[in-house]
Amino acid sequence: DAKTTQPNSMESNEEEPVHLPCNHSTISGTDYIHWYRQLPSQGPEYVIHGLTSNVNNRMASLAIAEDRKSSTLILHRATLRDAAVYYCILRDVWANNLFFGTGTRLTVIP
Amino acid sequence: GAVVSQHPSRVICKSGTSVKIECRSLDFQATTMFWYRQFPKQSLMLMATSNEGSKATYEQGVEKDKFLINHASLTLSTLTVTSAHPEDSSFYICSASPASLGEDTQYFGPGTRLTVL
């Protein structure tokens, strides 16, 4: 499976936008980019996913570089409830399993 | 949104006993369910993929005789930790994918915290 690289931790002030980067230089043409997050002592939660085009949903936006070797998860207004570990995962279109990396621990400062 | 439940949420057992954890998809059918293990301050590790009506596929290094998986229906998968030992203490999380074609999302349960004394 192609690997992803994320910063170990990031901080954001409450109500400010947050840009969480992910590098995936070995991504293949059939890999989707998935983002999940895990709040403390809970199971992960789906955030967003995309292939080539930028994606928006009610939780976040996903900006994908033109060469697809990196992507950025954007939380438009961070709240305290967004404090979690965010995982960027590549998943082949023909596969249905997810392999989690170490993720980015986001701290939101009131 | 799709909901996945796990039972129990917490379990404490003595060394040598077996523990069964249930994973249910409450409002959708799941042909495939997944089991993960997460140690403190670490990421999730995929243990096995469970397909309804067939044998589970285990990841490398996961003992299939120790971690028994049964996926008897489209809404229920169980993980049994046999002869549990303190090193099996962990947070066990399941996830499920809906049966519909083209569905990309996995829905995760809330996790089961196992403590083996």
Side-chain angles (χ1 to χ4, degrees):
Chain A
D1 299 287
K3 293 192 174 180
T4 62
T5 305
Q6 299 177 253
N8 287 334
S9 62
M10 289 184 66
E11 286 186 352
S12 173
N13 293 318
E14 195 177 8
E15 298 191 6
E16 288 190 357
V18 184
H19 291 234
L20 298 165
C22 181
N23 287 322
H24 28 79
S25 59
T26 59
I27 191 170
S28 75
T30 53
D31 282 333
Y32 276 79
I33 302 161
H34 288 249
W35 283 82
Y36 284 79
R37 72 179 184 181
Q38 185 178 25
L39 278 65
S41 299
Q42 295 187 30
E45 173 186 31
Y46 167 80
V47 178
I48 202 166
H49 76 279
L51 183 63
T52 56
S53 303
N54 294 344
V55 184
N56 299 296
N57 66 20
R58 63 176 182 82
M59 287 182 69
S61 296
L62 176 59
I64 301 173
E66 198 169 328
D67 64 4
R68 301 212 319 130
K69 293 187 176 182
S70 66
S71 60
T72 302
L73 179 71
I74 302 165
L75 306 180
H76 297 286
R77 272 179 80 245
T79 69
L80 297 178
R81 293 181 68 249
D82 291 322
V85 178
Y86 287 77
Y87 296 98
C88 168
I89 305 168
L90 300 183
R91 203 190 85 188
D92 189 277
V93 67
W94 301 111
N96 59 7
N97 44 15
L98 296 171
F99 294 96
F100 285 76
T102 54
T104 296
R105 182 173 298 277
L106 175 66
T107 300
V108 180
I109 302 168
Chain B
V3 179
V4 174
S5 70
Q6 282 184 241
H7 178 79
S9 58
R10 287 180 178 273
V11 58
I12 300 173
C13 69
K14 292 183 178 179
S15 186
T17 60
S18 295
V19 175
K20 180 186 282 189
I21 303 170
E22 291 186 351
C23 176
R24 293 182 185 271
S25 55
L26 298 185
D27 50 3
F28 66 97
Q29 293 185 326
T31 53
T32 307
M33 289 184 168
F34 306 87
W35 287 97
Y36 298 82
R37 180 168 55 181
Q38 185 174 33
F39 293 109
K41 298 190 187 301
Q42 294 187 23
S43 187
L44 283 78
M45 186 195 79
L46 179 65
M47 298 175 68
T49 301
S50 164
N51 293 299
E52 186 263 339
S54 64
K55 290 185 179 180
T57 303
Y58 290 82
E59 294 301 312
Q60 192 172 8
V62 178
E63 300 174 58
K64 62 180 180 181
D65 294 329
K66 181 168 183 62
F67 298 99
L68 302 179
I69 292 172
N70 184 282
H71 191 161
S73 78
L74 286 173
T75 59
L76 173 64
S77 176
T78 60
L79 169 69
T80 302
V81 183
T82 62
S83 186
H85 291 285
E87 57 266 29
D88 298 321
S89 299
S90 188
F91 193 45
Y92 291 87
I93 307 169
C94 73
S95 71
S97 282
S100 57
L101 291 176
E103 176 60 66
D104 286 323
T105 302
Q106 281 191 24
Y107 299 96
F108 286 81
T112 296
R113 190 164 301 282
L114 170 64
T115 303
V116 184
L117 302 176

